[in-house]
Amino acid sequence: MHLEEFNRIYQNELTPKQKKVLDLFLKGETDEQIAAQIDATHRSTTSHHLRNISRKFGSPPETEPDYRCKLVELFANYKPESVTLKALEKCDRALPKFRFPEGPEPLNSSFYLDRPTAEADSYAAILESDCLIRIKAPKQMGKTSLLKRILDRGEQHNYQTTYLNLSLFDRELLASKEQFLRSFAACIRGRLPAAPSLGEWDADTPIMVNCTAYFQQLLRGLEEPLVLALDEVDRLFEYPEIYQNFFPMLRHWHENANESETWAKLRLIVAHSTEDYGKLDLNQSPFNIGLPIRLDDFDLEKVRTLVMRHAIDSQVAEPLYQLIGGHPYLLRFALYHLARNRMPIQKLLKEATTDLGIYAQHLQRHLDILQSHRELGAFFSEITASQEPVKFEQKTKIIYQLESLGLIEIAGGALAPRYRLYREYFRDRLS
């Protein structure tokens, strides 16, 4: 079930009495307490209401514990503020499944927080024939999780979908534009069972023309649109020969949608971490057209929601927010340890900015990058040492790199460490 359907049922199909019963049930009240508050004469009335409510959200399981747990699970996922820890504890099955936080959040994850505007705009865009979505955010901010959900929405409309992470291309495949484009086409073909054979490409024809002709043939063979999601396209910015050909080709495909029914079947999504496009002419690229989606930190209310979904005391939300803001991955990592009772919040906060804390590996990885690129490290050292934001006149390559790593925040022509975690950890080590 998707959020829109859940909201429709909750708002339009439940009676006022059913909503009252449900509210009391999710607060952990007993059947007798609920029956008394709705002026019922017997506790079985509560079970009767809960079974009917469960039916409205889908056919209830046969046994009573099952449909009760189903309701708790459903509301813990879509309306977590309404579910108390007391209600969760009554149904062990409804307690969150604490998967180690790495990679994108699964589609059914209780720990994925909606970004309503980004999702609504993206879901609407892929229904348009001239769709091009650009998702920009530093690493580990949820780009891939959103990509997967856009693809899932496309599949609900019976679209063909395919996802390709360009960071997985080996260096030998990036040796030349010919090798890269042939490999790119082969990867897409391997993900689409109905795709035509690559065959032999004409050696006397420019490689971009060959690649374009292949994709045109592929689209002609599809009855429904194709959603093509390209993740980590920053990988190509290190290879001018490739990106100066590949990105103009993508733009050409997108612009053809206005004139060709075949190309109108293509919906493009590109995800990247930086706006440092090297020597790429933006007017010959996909980076200044289409729908821009920027993924920012969660606000404090979202952090509180995520804390509740981990069935943790809500008081941990504010100190975590002060340390790591609303960074999705850093929050999930801390809450994973707290939910698994790995350590108390006081110990986690005290050790977080040291090499003994839970973020040691994350911080060390950034430190290795900063120390191996001296100019980058020296500039960030200046930012962490300053008590006031550091002014700048225009963005430079160094600023773009720090922004891509997620180490700085930019506001009003000034730079500051993005989180207290980064200021305190890197200040001593880089000085």
Side-chain angles (χ1 to χ4, degrees):
M1 177 178 293
H2 288 275
L3 180 61
E4 295 90 339
E5 177 68 4
F6 170 86
N7 286 332
R8 183 191 66 77
I9 295 171
Y10 180 77
Q11 296 295 338
N12 302 329
E13 296 193 15
L14 298 187
T15 67
K17 179 169 283 189
Q18 285 175 330
K19 286 184 179 179
K20 184 174 183 178
V21 169
L22 184 59
D23 179 61
L24 295 169
F25 167 69
L26 295 174
K27 286 179 179 176
E29 305 242 346
T30 66
D31 284 13
E32 289 84 355
Q33 290 170 327
I34 296 172
Q37 294 188 59
I38 61 173
D39 297 324
T41 58
H42 198 275
R43 67 185 296 275
S44 62
T45 304
T46 300
S47 292
H48 174 73
H49 280 301
L50 291 175
R51 182 180 287 275
N52 286 337
I53 292 167
S54 182
R55 274 199 190 92
K56 292 187 177 183
F57 286 101
S59 299
E62 292 184 3
T63 63
E64 185 167 5
D66 279 349
Y67 73 72
R68 287 174 180 252
C69 281
K70 177 183 176 182
L71 283 173
V72 174
E73 286 177 335
L74 190 66
F75 278 78
N77 192 23
Y78 290 121
K79 209 171 185 296
E81 68 280 2
S82 67
V83 183
T84 65
L85 183 57
K86 186 177 178 182
L88 285 166
E89 288 173 341
K90 285 185 176 182
C91 180
D92 290 342
R93 200 186 76 191
L95 287 169
K97 298 174 178 61
F98 297 116
R99 181 184 68 89
F100 187 76
E102 60 182 357
E105 288 290 352
L107 294 176
N108 62 350
S109 172
S110 300
F111 304 128
Y112 179 80
L113 293 185
D114 293 333
R115 290 177 165 102
T117 301
E119 284 150 4
D121 290 348
S122 298
Y123 296 161
I126 62 165
L127 303 181
E128 302 295 331
S129 60
D130 60 346
C131 168
L132 193 157
I133 303 172
R134 296 180 285 115
I135 303 173
K136 177 185 175 293
K139 298 182 184 304
Q140 298 181 313
M141 285 293 292
K143 296 189 295 297
T144 306
S145 294
L146 177 57
L147 273 177
K148 298 290 188 180
R149 282 155 178 79
I150 299 173
L151 291 173
D152 179 63
R153 183 54 59 98
E155 289 171 3
Q156 292 177 39
H157 289 274
N158 296 318
Y159 290 0
Q160 295 284 326
T161 64
T162 187
Y163 167 85
L164 187 59
N165 188 327
L166 297 184
S167 70
L168 300 179
F169 273 57
D170 296 332
R171 283 189 174 275
E172 52 264 29
L173 297 179
L174 299 167
S176 69
K177 62 177 184 282
E178 289 80 10
Q179 198 162 7
F180 168 75
L181 288 176
R182 178 88 183 185
S183 299
F184 170 72
C187 286
I188 302 303
R189 180 183 181 276
R191 287 163 170 75
L192 295 173
S197 170
L198 282 175
E200 292 296 325
W201 288 8
D202 188 348
D204 297 325
T205 302
I207 188 67
M208 287 192 299
V209 175
N210 278 322
C211 191
T212 298
Y214 175 75
F215 271 84
Q216 188 171 34
Q217 181 187 5
L218 184 158
L219 292 169
R220 281 175 179 158
L222 298 178
E223 294 184 5
E224 300 294 339
L226 168 65
V227 185
L228 174 57
L230 304 178
D231 203 356
E232 302 285 353
V233 300
D234 312 69
R235 169 73 163 152
L236 301 186
F237 294 154
E238 303 172 33
Y239 302 90
E241 181 193 9
I242 291 174
Y243 73 65
Q244 289 176 0
N245 290 277
F246 181 66
F247 292 130
M249 183 181 71
L250 293 183
R251 180 170 179 139
H252 174 68
W253 292 359
H254 167 70
E255 291 175 341
N256 280 347
N258 295 319
E259 303 174 1
S260 164
E261 290 185 6
T262 298
W263 287 105
K265 295 178 184 178
L266 180 64
R267 279 80 163 129
L268 276 172
I269 312 170
V270 293
H272 58 109
S273 300
T274 181
E275 293 175 346
D276 180 16
Y277 306 120
K279 298 179 180 179
L280 181 66
D281 181 353
L282 280 182
N283 294 319
Q284 295 295 319
S285 83
F287 295 111
N288 65 349
I289 55 176
L291 172 68
I293 299 291
R294 182 184 177 93
L295 301 184
D296 295 315
D297 280 14
F298 297 136
D299 61 19
L300 182 55
E301 286 307 308
K302 286 280 191 181
V303 174
R304 290 193 177 109
T305 297
L306 194 58
V307 169
M308 283 191 290
R309 291 190 184 185
H310 284 77
I312 297 173
D313 187 337
S314 61
Q315 293 185 8
V316 311
E318 194 156 343
L320 280 177
Y321 188 72
Q322 291 172 358
L323 178 70
I324 53 176
H327 190 289
Y329 169 74
L330 297 180
L331 282 167
R332 280 279 286 115
F333 197 64
L335 294 174
Y336 169 82
H337 282 80
L338 293 173
R340 295 291 294 269
N341 296 315
R342 296 288 179 88
M343 62 180 67
I345 181 66
Q346 296 82 1
K347 179 178 174 64
L348 186 151
L349 294 172
K350 182 178 179 180
E351 295 181 350
T353 59
T354 74
D355 289 323
L356 299 175
I358 64 170
Y359 297 122
Q361 187 174 3
H362 171 84
L363 295 167
Q364 185 62 53
R365 185 167 63 249
H366 283 308
L367 184 61
D368 290 343
I369 294 172
L370 294 168
Q371 289 179 334
S372 61
H373 297 79
R374 292 186 179 181
E375 192 176 3
L376 191 68
F379 188 65
F380 190 52
S381 176
E382 179 184 344
I383 296 171
T384 58
S386 174
Q387 296 302 311
E388 299 295 330
V390 175
K391 298 286 186 180
F392 70 95
E393 294 184 359
Q394 63 181 15
K395 283 191 175 182
T396 64
K397 187 175 183 65
I398 289 178
I399 293 175
Y400 280 125
Q401 289 173 324
L402 291 174
E403 184 184 26
S404 172
L405 292 169
L407 293 174
I408 58 172
E409 61 178 356
I410 304 175
L415 310 171
R418 192 165 180 183
Y419 308 118
R420 181 164 64 86
L421 173 73
Y422 292 158
R423 179 186 293 279
E424 294 185 10
Y425 182 83
F426 293 111
R427 181 175 52 204
D428 296 336
R429 288 160 181 79
L430 292 175
S431 64

